Structures are given as structure tokens and as C-alpha cells.
Amino acid sequence: MNVDAAVAAVAAIAGLCTGVFAMLAFRWSERDQAKPTRTSLHTDAVLPPGVDTVLSVLRSSAVVLDEADSVVKASSAAYALGLVRGGKLAVEPMMQMARDTRRDGEIRQVELDLPRRGTGRGDALAVSARVAPLGSRLVLLLVEDLTEARRIEAVRRDFVANVSHELKTPVGALSLLSEAVMDASDDPEAVTRFAGRMQNEATRLTNLVQELIDLSRVQNDDPLEDAEPVRVDELVAEAVDRCRQQAGAKQITMAAGGTADLSVWGNRGQLAAALGNLVENAVNYSPARTRVGIAARRVAAPGGDLIELSVTDQGIGISEKDRDRIFERFYRVDPARSRATGGTGLGLAIVKHVAASHGGEVTVWSAEGQGSTFTLRLPEAGAVRDRERPADLAAEGLDDEDRPYETFNDPLPAHPAPEVLP
């Protein structure tokens, strides 16, 4: 009997222990399910019906907090921005806004600059946070990333400020010159002199407005809508003709060479404007009695062959500190010289946009006192390479790659390979 009683007692104790462990395991499971996760925290049990679906389609980062300031629901964008860590809202100003809203039920909104975590970048992350009550116990936080919008707005403000400044200069000059003409009405020589200066300022103003129109067009238009094969030799000839008068006045020799019968794919007007701007800059910034060269060649590339159009001058060159900024709008290496040549500071910005929109790039090599080489790389028109070689080349035993565009007695100055801008 004592043995049976002992066995029964042991069995009772074992059953009791099993029950206690089962209860503890159940409670532990409930606590584990209650922990916040990356996507949801007992969403179905806490969030009002339909809220989860609405939050999933919002573009803003969404975070739902309970009365204990724990995260009930957080979108993936909230984790990506670093707003939520370890089931808690990691931004103290937003947490305080949530507590205040939970206390008085008032909707709050604020713009904050948050540090970028883990990127090593010094710039801040600009966000707009809006907090509102969600039911009786929850608080909803919506966060909108404003960083890109602020950057675009800053670019727009700078552009408007620069345009205003550039327009004010020739307009003010025209106003003063017109007053001078009126005061010198009895002096024909002074009137002629002032009228000439007025004409120069009017030309400068016209060029500025036209380049603003061109820049707006290349930024907004899709060049592939009107794309066609464009012969490179025609683009070169048009660029040379455009600058022939300025080059002749400074006794600058313009030489075109390289591989003939090349074509690129794109918008003819935009491509002509881009190459023309490069040649015009080379002429304007070159001393008298020097040479400007334009060369074309085909280069192999992983995604298909490219056509390189290089414009080389023997001008003043560009310093290293200016080289990274010359493609910015209205940026001038030498403002005084730009005023003398009528430059607007938009020509290279137009070249950069045309190259990018055509799937190419523009690079520059330069050394102060030695000159510069601007290289425009554009995709080749594929059908051109399939054409048969001209009979005269075959008779002479020359390939298309070997045929010179034009023969020159003096070689162009040798420059190292252009470096690629970041």
C-alpha cells in the first residue's frame, strides 16, 4: 500500500508539473506573438477593420503606435527610413508628437531634418511627419520623404535667381544706353557708338533667351520620339559653318577629320546644337591664330559601338577645380571673358542634357595653358555599319576605318585620353 501511494503521489506531481509547463509554454507563446515584427504586430486583433489594407497602399511611411508607444504596424518604408527599430519608434520628436496626440486627440504636423544613418553621408533626410488618433487607443504616424522635393526646389530657386541676374545685366545695359543715346542726340558719332553697344547687348539678350528655350526643350522633349540616323559629317559641317565667321575674325583654323561615313541615332536638331556649342566654345576661348579640331571615330563598347566626336582647342584650358563644374548651368570659368565673348553659361549644360537623353555622355580633358578636348560619345546608328564599302575605297584598298574625313598638313596637338567626369 505504501508503494502504491508513493507511485500515485509521484504521478500526481508529474501531472502537476506537466500542467504548469504547458501553461507557461502557452503564456510564452502568447508573449512571443505579441512582440513587434517587421511587417505587423497582432494586426488583425488590434487594428480596426480595413486599416491594414489602407496603410499598405499609402505612398507615405506609416507607423501605428498603441497606448504603450509600441509599434503595432509599420510599413517597409518606415523601416527603410530608420524610423522603427526593435519594435519602437526611433525618432524622439515623432514619439513626443504621438504622446501629445494620444493625450488630447489633436492632429499634429511638423517638418524635420533627420540624420542619414549608416550611410556615412553628411546631408540630412528631410521629412514631413503627421500624427493623428486612430480609434480610442491607437495613434497613426504618416511620414513623407521630402529630400528630393527640397533638392528640386533648391535647383529651381537657383535657376530662377541665375536667370534673373543674367537677364538683368543686358536689360539694364540697354536702358542706360538708350538714355545715353537720348542725351547725345546732337552728337552723331556718340549715337553711332552707343547704338553699336545696344546692338551687342540685344544680341546677348537674344542668345540668352534662345539658350534658355533650347535647355528647356532638351530637358522636356524625348529625343527618341523623332529619332533618325544622323550623318556625323553633316553635323560637323554644320558646326563649322556656324562658327566660321567668329573663327575667321580671330584667324583660327578649323580642321575636321577622323573616320568618314559615320552615323548616330537621335534628334538631328539637338545633336547639331550640342556639337555646335562645343565648337563655338572652342573658338571663343582660343587665342588668335590657333587651331580648333573636330574628329570623329568609332569605338567599341559592351552595349554596342559608340561614335566619339572630339573637339580640341589650343585655348586657355580649364583648371582642375573648375573641371567638375563646367557643365552646371550659368557656371563660367572666367566670367569677365564670358561677357566679352557673349557667353551665357548654358552651352555646356545643353550638351550634357543632349548626351544623357541620347544614351551617351560628354567628357573633358584639359590643362591650363595647353587647351582642352571635349568628347561627345553617342550610340551609333546600327544600320550604317551594314552598308557596303564605297567602290573607290575598295579600289584603293582602304577600309572605312582608314578613310580620312579630310587631309591636313599639320597634325592637331596631342592630348591624353579625356578623363570621365564624376
Side-chain angles (χ1 to χ4, degrees), residues 198-325:
M198 290 178 66
Q199 188 174 19
N200 292 336
E201 294 297 334
T203 301
R204 178 182 176 186
L205 182 60
T206 302
N207 292 338
L208 175 59
V209 173
Q210 183 58 51
E211 290 203 346
L212 286 172
I213 295 172
D214 292 341
L215 180 60
S216 176
R217 182 179 295 117
V218 300
Q219 287 180 313
N220 297 327
D221 293 350
D222 183 3
L224 299 182
E225 291 182 358
D226 301 319
E228 59 179 340
V230 181
R231 290 177 58 86
V232 171
D233 54 358
E234 294 178 356
L235 293 177
V236 172
E238 187 173 338
V240 170
D241 289 340
R242 169 178 168 177
C243 305
R244 192 179 302 277
Q245 183 177 357
Q246 299 98 304
K250 299 173 67 175
Q251 300 181 24
I252 293 176
T253 302
M254 289 193 294
T259 307
D261 296 327
L262 298 177
S263 293
V264 293
W265 185 260
N267 183 289
R268 178 183 177 84
Q270 292 188 15
L271 294 174
L275 183 59
N277 285 345
L278 291 180
V279 176
E280 186 174 14
N281 276 0
V283 172
N284 288 337
Y285 286 89
S286 292
R289 294 178 293 278
T290 55
R291 165 173 288 196
V292 171
I294 308 104
R297 66 168 183 163
R298 179 188 294 118
V299 294
D305 289 352
L306 298 176
I307 302 301
E308 278 192 355
L309 291 166
S310 299
V311 179
T312 302
D313 63 60
Q314 298 170 309
I316 60 176
I318 305 169
S319 65
E320 185 176 356
K321 67 180 180 63
D322 292 318
R323 218 170 294 155
D324 295 341
R325 300 193 59 192

Side-chain angles (χ1 to χ4, degrees), residues 102-151:
R102 186 184 300 110
R103 184 182 64 253
D104 56 22
E106 181 180 349
I107 298 176
R108 289 174 169 82
Q109 184 169 352
V110 67
E111 292 188 1
L112 301 171
D113 291 331
L114 307 179
R116 292 182 183 267
R117 300 179 182 273
T119 62
R121 299 172 58 181
D123 53 340
L125 186 70
V127 298
S128 173
R130 185 178 179 86
V131 180
L134 184 63
S136 59
R137 297 187 302 126
L138 303 180
V139 173
L140 172 62
L141 171 67
L142 296 177
V143 180
E144 190 77 24
D145 187 357
L146 303 178
T147 307
E148 183 64 15
R150 283 193 179 181
R151 186 192 68 81

Side-chain angles (χ1 to χ4, degrees), residues 14-27:
L16 179 61
C17 291
T18 301
V20 171
F21 282 121
M23 182 179 65
L24 291 175
F26 178 75
R27 295 291 299 274

